[in-house]
Amino acid sequence: MTEPQLQHIVVGGAAAREGGPRCMAWWDWRSTQGRDDHVVVCVHGLSRQGRDFDTLARALQPHCRVVAVDVAGRGHSDWLADPMAYQVPTYVADLTALLLHLRAERPGVRIDWVGTSMGGLIGMGVAAQPPLAPARLVLNDVGPVVQWEALMRIGTYLGLDPTFDSEAAASDYLASISKGFGPHTPEQWRALSQPMLRRRDGRVHLHYDPAIAVPFKAMTQSVEMQALQAAVRAGEAALWDLYDAIAVPTLVLRGEDSDLLSMDTVKAMQQRGPRPRCVSFAGVGHAPTLVADDQVRTVLDFLLSP
């Protein structure tokens, strides 16, 4: 198996904190069998980064090329000058630039999309636009309705910017806020944790801009409950509009114990828009990490079937 190459693409829109052209990073897993006419774009969750998809990418490598993105403010991508720009429209614009680059690089390429949580919301924004839509779409534990309890749970840790004496201590902290990921071996958890960390000034930090929490907290900490409820309803309506515009084969993955994607939402999704198939995984909450064999096989069967 080959290892991925870190690539960067210049994107427009929101400015970089350090000034100059803003770059988005992505990990390029070239197919071991030269099958670069098929690309799977993988996009991570709110506070994660592109190396979350290493296990899935290695399983896909014989069949296709995998592009795993570091969304703005995460991993090796530039941080934004305006924290309020850390929102889905910015990310959709950035990923649009990457999709256009991939299609210009190889006209006629087939592009599929695997999006976990936030990455699935970005995927919905892309898939709702026919010129950009992937051939197949995987929504990993996310839909047009996000449960309020999950937002409150995420808000307890997002943007706190903790620091640690060691990578082991940081890994233990990540495990404490990621119980929904389900069971992992020590080796699997180490592989998921190490890319999340960076050493600075003798301390270990998380590998994202703490300011990604600013728009999240602006929404969830509103003191005007009526205004907050109205904003939530408007946001859900907009997401349903996007979802209903999707016309490509879609697979929904769900952790059986997910607090973010309810079964009621899944049932509603199956009756409208792309009418996806849903696969649930026992012993997992939000969100499946696509590391376990059954999770990887489910995605491969969907993406590689005729």
Side-chain angles (χ1 to χ4, degrees):
M1 294 291 180
T2 61
E3 289 300 303
Q5 298 295 312
L6 180 61
Q7 310 279 9
H8 293 84
I9 183 171
V10 175
V11 292
R17 184 170 305 176
E18 300 302 321
R22 180 167 66 87
C23 290
M24 181 178 70
W26 47 286
W27 296 94
D28 191 2
W29 297 82
R30 290 284 181 169
S31 171
T32 55
Q33 302 298 320
R35 293 295 312 276
D36 290 344
D37 57 338
H38 181 186
V39 176
V40 177
V41 173
C42 297
V43 188
H44 58 78
L46 181 62
S47 62
R48 303 293 302 181
Q49 41 67 52
R51 297 305 297 265
D52 274 2
F53 295 99
D54 282 9
T55 299
L56 180 64
R58 291 190 177 101
L60 283 167
Q61 261 191 311
H63 311 283
C64 58
R65 178 185 181 188
V66 178
V67 166
V69 176
D70 285 349
V71 175
R74 289 84 165 172
H76 294 270
S77 288
D78 286 339
W79 293 9
L80 302 183
D82 177 9
M84 287 303 293
Y86 283 124
Q87 301 199 50
V88 170
T90 297
Y91 310 147
V92 170
D94 291 353
L95 268 295
T96 294
L98 178 59
L99 294 177
L100 293 176
H101 167 77
L102 294 172
R103 288 180 169 140
E105 182 181 63
R106 191 176 184 116
V109 66
R110 168 182 160 175
I111 297 178
D112 294 332
W113 187 288
V114 177
T116 295
S117 194
M118 179 189 74
L121 296 179
I122 301 168
M124 286 168 52
V126 169
Q129 304 175 65
L132 297 174
R136 298 189 182 191
L137 172 67
V138 178
L139 299 177
N140 185 15
D141 213 64
V142 71
V145 178
V146 176
Q147 297 301 114
W148 189 253
E149 295 80 3
L151 293 179
M152 293 297 96
R153 173 179 57 78
I154 293 167
T156 62
Y157 64 80
L158 188 68
L160 293 181
D161 196 22
T163 65
F164 308 92
D165 294 327
S166 66
E167 290 191 356
S171 180
D172 289 344
Y173 169 78
L174 289 171
S176 74
I177 63 172
S178 307
K179 296 185 185 301
F181 287 7
H184 291 79
T185 67
E187 293 76 18
Q188 289 171 334
W189 188 250
R190 188 160 47 249
L192 283 170
S193 298
Q194 197 281 327
M196 289 288 297
L197 309 176
R198 61 167 51 159
R199 188 170 289 276
R200 187 172 69 247
D201 301 327
R203 301 284 292 171
V204 177
H205 298 251
L206 299 184
H207 212 320
Y208 68 83
D209 180 3
I212 65 172
V214 171
F216 183 90
K217 292 185 182 300
M219 176 188 70
T220 58
Q221 295 180 356
S222 171
V223 295
E224 296 289 341
M225 185 54 65
Q226 281 189 318
L228 177 58
Q229 291 172 341
V232 170
R233 287 194 297 270
E236 289 181 1
L239 287 174
W240 276 117
D241 286 344
L242 288 177
Y243 178 79
D244 287 338
I246 297 171
V248 301
T250 300
L251 172 68
V252 174
L253 308 178
R254 180 176 183 269
E256 211 168 76
D257 302 324
S258 176
D259 63 351
L260 188 138
L261 178 63
S262 72
M263 272 307 302
D264 286 342
T265 298
V266 170
K267 290 175 182 177
M269 293 170 72
Q270 291 178 312
Q271 298 302 313
R272 54 196 287 187
R275 297 177 182 269
R277 182 168 68 97
C278 177
V279 177
S280 293
F281 300 105
V284 180
H286 182 75
T289 58
L290 310 184
V291 169
D293 289 345
D294 59 337
Q295 297 173 22
V296 171
R297 176 48 54 189
T298 298
V299 175
L300 261 64
D301 287 347
F302 175 69
L303 296 180
L304 303 180
S305 63

